Amino acid sequence: MTATAFALVIVAALIHASWNVVAKKASGGALFVTLGVWVATVAYAPVFAVYAYWYPPTLGWREIALLALSGALHLAYSLILQRGYQKHDLTVVYPVARGTGPLLSSVFAIIVLGEQVTWYSALGIACIIVGIFVLAGGHRMLRTRTADQMSGVGYGAMTGLMIAAYTLVDGYGVKYLLIAPLVLDYLCNLMRAVFVAPMAWRRRDELREQWRKNGRYAIIIGIISPLAYILVLYAMQTAPISSVAPMRELSMVFAAFLGEKLLGEGHRSERIVGAMLMALGVWGLMHG
């Protein structure tokens, strides 16, 4: 992985952690997600227009099909994750989703796209995934697993599968079809905005209340969240997807320490162990 790609992923991880802390403070549901999508669509419209004017995208049927598939996968990811959080504890769904996502992304990239992996890279991927599991408190869930928790594991695994799927599809789009990251992210976000419009109209009174309550948080997330993923897509253009996918989960290290400082969350020893494992994983990926 080049120094540029590494820097892009690190900055993206920090931004990703920041907007997740904001989202947790907002504690919103599906309508809050809708507001974030709409804010992003409006905020990035002039940026997309200027970029498209100077660099007109050439979109054939393959590119359009990939954009439609990506939009559907991102939407499925959001819906499955929200459903999992409604039915089960975050401490069950979250670690499984964030662990299986990069694991499956790396495996699929190696098998489907034929990416090469060295022993250093394999060690790095393994350390990061274990570090994710520790940071998310997955080991505590294993000690006290119940039937309900196992159902939550299923939602987490499905969410992780969606993460892996859209990562692979988007990575293929920017790496092999040469779709500009800004174009891919904006058009996919536009599709999601259109898709959620009927639901938002039916619940427009609730939507207005959500805006009154959490509008400022939705604005922050709508502006910085797309930026984080666009940076990741740029990194995927030059670095292996099998390395970028797990490394972007460094956001969990930043989120863990931000959570302790800003939200007063505990489990400091887990944060330290998880951070050390992920740091070792980054070292392996950098030398792979």
Side-chain angles (χ1 to χ4, degrees), residues 55-273:
Y55 306 99
T58 303
L59 301 177
W61 69 266
R62 289 191 305 169
E63 289 79 9
I64 294 173
L66 182 136
L67 289 170
L69 177 59
S70 176
L73 289 172
H74 279 277
L75 186 60
Y77 153 76
S78 299
L79 294 175
I80 293 171
L81 182 63
Q82 288 295 325
R83 183 62 173 170
Y85 285 162
Q86 287 175 347
K87 294 175 66 68
H88 302 282
D89 290 342
L90 179 144
T91 52
V92 176
V93 178
Y94 186 71
V96 177
R98 302 318 301 183
T100 56
L103 172 62
L104 293 174
S105 298
S106 299
V107 171
F108 289 167
I110 293 168
I111 295 175
V112 178
L113 300 181
E115 291 189 352
Q116 300 298 311
V117 61
T118 67
W119 284 108
Y120 280 118
S121 298
L123 173 65
I125 292 169
C127 286
I128 287 177
I129 290 168
V130 175
I132 292 167
F133 199 71
V134 172
L135 275 173
H139 56 291
R140 293 197 303 275
M141 180 267 294
L142 289 176
R143 289 200 302 266
T144 60
R145 61 182 180 272
T146 64
D148 182 68
Q149 285 178 326
M150 290 301 99
S151 177
V153 168
Y155 275 98
M158 286 191 291
T159 302
L161 180 61
M162 291 301 103
I163 294 173
Y166 76 63
T167 298
L168 193 66
V169 168
D170 293 350
Y172 183 83
V174 299
K175 201 178 187 76
Y176 297 99
L177 296 185
L178 303 180
I179 302 174
L182 174 63
V183 172
L184 189 150
D185 183 76
Y186 183 79
L187 292 181
C188 288
N189 195 69
L190 182 61
M191 291 179 186
R192 294 194 293 274
V194 172
F195 187 88
V196 298
M199 179 271 294
W201 175 254
R202 290 193 303 270
R203 302 173 62 183
R204 54 190 179 276
D205 291 337
E206 297 175 63
L207 188 69
R208 281 193 290 267
E209 176 60 23
Q210 186 66 226
W211 177 259
R212 185 194 64 78
K213 180 182 177 183
N214 289 318
R216 63 188 183 281
Y217 295 135
I219 291 173
I220 295 172
I221 292 174
I223 291 174
I224 69 175
S225 175
L227 176 60
Y229 194 58
I230 289 170
L231 293 178
V232 167
L233 292 175
Y234 272 111
M236 286 184 185
Q237 287 184 317
T238 57
I241 299 171
S242 56
S243 296
V244 173
M247 190 176 288
R248 68 181 293 231
E249 299 301 334
L250 284 172
S251 62
M252 291 191 63
V253 177
F254 298 132
F257 287 98
L258 286 172
E260 181 180 9
K261 296 295 184 182
L262 301 180
L263 304 177
E265 298 177 345
H267 306 296
R268 175 174 292 186
S269 60
E270 293 175 2
R271 302 175 196 279
I272 294 173
V273 173

Side-chain angles (χ1 to χ4, degrees), residues 124 127-128 131 250 253 272-286:
C127 286
I128 287 177
L250 284 172
V253 177
I272 294 173
V273 173
M276 290 176 64
L277 283 168
M278 296 188 79
L280 179 60
V282 170
W283 179 86
L285 291 176
M286 287 295 293

